[in-house]
Amino acid sequence: MKQNGYVIREDGIMLTIQVIRTTACGDKCGNCSGGCDKRVIDIEVENTLCATCGDVVEIEPDASTIISAAFIIYIIPLGMLILSMGLLIYLFDYLGIILNELISLTVGLSFMALGYYVIHVVDKKSSEGRKSIFKMSKIIKKER
């Protein structure tokens, strides 16, 4: 999803671009009268097109970064859920424990929650120095 933004600051090879945050409904406020407020967010992007302050640029998300983030957020906790449930069902059957599905579901959901917590902690610690998920695709309007 490409978006236009306004360059507000230059810091070496990095730019700060101001972008109007879009809503999930597609910003058709005239259709729904939902009263959505258009918030502005600042995004740090590497200056690959020699843009300067005042330029309007088009940015788009980096597909590989988004795919790897989606894998981490969805597949790892789901894998922890399935693996822990499968191992516990096998272990309980081996030991002859009754109601093994209910116990393994509870433990599996706990392991899934633990997976999300670990992802949250690692994300907070690694957020410093992380590259932007956005990249500049073109300059729409050059400030003269």
Side-chain angles (χ1 to χ4, degrees), residues 57-104:
V57 295
E58 182 179 81
I59 60 172
E60 60 184 326
D62 183 31
S64 64
T65 306
I66 290 184
I67 290 172
S68 63
F71 177 80
I72 290 169
I73 294 297
Y74 293 111
I75 302 301
I76 290 177
L78 181 64
M80 290 181 72
L81 170 74
I82 293 170
L83 184 64
S84 63
M85 284 182 66
L87 288 174
L88 282 174
I89 288 174
Y90 175 76
L91 178 67
F92 289 159
D93 279 346
Y94 181 76
L95 296 175
I97 298 174
I98 301 173
L99 293 175
N100 56 4
E101 289 87 7
L102 184 60
I103 295 170
S104 66

Side-chain angles (χ1 to χ4, degrees), residues 1-6 17-23 27 29 36-43 57 59 134:
M1 180 174 95
K2 296 180 180 181
Q3 286 186 299
N4 294 342
Y6 184 75
I17 300 175
Q18 207 170 54
V19 178
I20 295 175
R21 186 174 183 184
T22 58
T23 60
D27 293 324
C29 295
C36 303
D37 60 333
K38 295 195 184 247
R39 291 186 284 163
V40 176
I41 58 173
D42 294 342
I43 298 174
V57 295
I59 60 172
F134 291 96

Side-chain angles (χ1 to χ4, degrees), residues 5 8 15 18 52 57 88 90 107 119:
I8 59 170
L15 295 177
Q18 207 170 54
T52 58
V57 295
L88 282 174
Y90 175 76
V107 172
I119 289 170

